[in-house]
Amino acid sequence: MNVAEVKALADQVRAEVAKAIVGQHETVDLLLTALFARGHMLLEGPPGVAKTYLAQSFARTLGLDFGRIQFTPDLMPADIIGANVFNFQTSTFSLNEGPLFCELLLADEINRAPPKTQAALLEAMQERRVTIDGKARQLSDRFMVVATQNPLEQQGTYPLPEAQLDRFLFKHALGYPSREEERRIVAEYGAQAGHADPAGRGVARVATARQLGEAHKAVAGVRLTDEIVGYVLDLVRSTRETPELSSGASPRAAAQLALAARARAALDGRDYVIPDDVKTLALPVLRHRVILSPAAEIDGRRSDQIIEALVEAAAAPR
């Protein structure tokens, strides 16, 4: 598969998801970029903006085995990854796999789970495997986590630790739809009783496992020039040098920004990265990897504002 075919596949996915989801074009583009870059995504937004429905539609379009975990304060690691259960009839242990054994996992309200349970995801997200009773079990090569969190309710939540936030390729903030988009949502779904189903909206599978594997290879072949590498480094290192941030982005952030830019270029049908690819993805890649300085917090500054200013100040290669 070449980059032109990757672009065509992405266009098909967008068209199918649009049958069920009104608007959210930027979110779908970031999901596609994360998929082809083999990364994970954190969605932050108020209830009722179709975060779960979007993940279900996206998984159906790509033919991915979908799993969902509703995180709660009493959820334990074994509830996620599974456990070995003793069978009294055969006197042997057998693995009872948890919902983590899927291809696209929706981790709903991930910040409601205690840190011990959140940490159970770390190995799966980084290594695509889990360890149960000392034995490693491999997950699918297409394993992807789409996590959600509600920014409005803080009671009974556990903020994600920096180490886990760093495992997410993107953090995307979803807002409310425009008035025209909301009008369409009310007109199309206001008369529909029960749970919305992507299949009922005509969302069809447009990709096979082989096509996704070939798309990953095509993304790996996208060229990254020395000038673009230097631009990524300058941008990421500037987050460690500004006094408005007490902690900047890590080298992993720089590597993932470069990888995401490759995937973005392929989605546009190009086999080379341009500065605009990096600029477009800088905010969702970096916003959850930096920490405001106390002075910036007192001034009411937000990390998004600081990152946008750093992107504007960085000299892009010509």
Side-chain angles (χ1 to χ4, degrees), residues 149-166:
Q149 61 181 13
N150 178 0
L152 302 180
E153 298 179 13
Q154 300 302 322
Q155 186 174 1
T157 63
Y158 301 83
L160 295 179
E162 283 71 21
Q164 183 154 5
L165 283 172
D166 202 34

Side-chain angles (χ1 to χ4, degrees), residues 60-264:
R60 178 176 176 81
T61 302
L62 294 161
L64 299 175
D65 180 26
F66 181 77
R68 179 182 178 183
I69 302 173
Q70 183 66 47
F71 281 75
T72 57
D74 60 347
L75 200 68
M76 299 301 292
D79 298 326
I80 296 175
I81 64 177
N84 285 312
V85 179
F86 185 73
N87 188 326
F88 287 95
Q89 294 180 335
T90 61
S91 297
T92 59
F93 284 93
S94 60
L95 176 63
N96 185 14
E97 293 183 348
L100 192 67
F101 286 85
C102 62
E103 292 179 322
L104 192 149
L105 174 69
L106 176 65
D108 219 350
E109 294 193 280
I110 189 174
N111 56 330
R112 288 202 176 278
K116 185 176 182 180
T117 305
Q118 292 177 5
L121 279 177
L122 280 176
E123 183 183 13
M125 293 173 67
Q126 186 67 26
E127 309 290 341
R128 285 184 168 79
R129 70 181 184 188
V130 295
T131 302
I132 302 175
D133 292 342
K135 184 177 180 180
R137 296 184 179 272
Q138 205 68 31
L139 298 174
S140 168
D141 289 339
R142 296 178 296 279
F143 178 72
M144 176 182 179
V145 174
V146 177
T148 72
Q149 61 181 13
N150 178 0
L152 302 180
E153 298 179 13
Q154 300 302 322
Q155 186 174 1
T157 63
Y158 301 83
L160 295 179
E162 283 71 21
Q164 183 154 5
L165 283 172
D166 202 34
R167 262 66 175 189
F168 286 100
L169 175 60
F170 296 135
K171 178 183 177 183
H172 180 55
L174 279 81
Y176 290 110
S178 67
R179 181 178 178 84
E180 188 55 39
E181 289 173 342
E182 195 163 3
R183 180 187 294 274
R184 281 186 56 197
I185 293 170
V186 173
E188 293 180 19
Y189 291 94
Q192 178 178 322
H195 173 67
D197 182 15
R201 303 291 298 181
V203 177
R205 178 177 180 173
V206 296
T208 64
R210 184 178 65 84
Q211 286 177 309
L212 291 180
E214 291 177 352
H216 289 146
K217 293 178 181 177
V219 168
V222 172
R223 287 179 286 123
L224 198 66
T225 64
D226 289 342
E227 290 79 7
I228 296 294
V229 171
Y231 179 49
V232 170
L233 286 175
D234 290 343
L235 183 55
V236 171
R237 291 177 70 86
S238 69
T239 65
R240 306 173 204 158
E241 297 165 357
T242 176
E244 294 187 291
L245 298 174
S246 62
S247 178
S250 67
R252 181 190 285 129
Q256 292 204 331
L257 178 54
L259 178 58
R262 276 185 158 131
R264 183 67 179 226

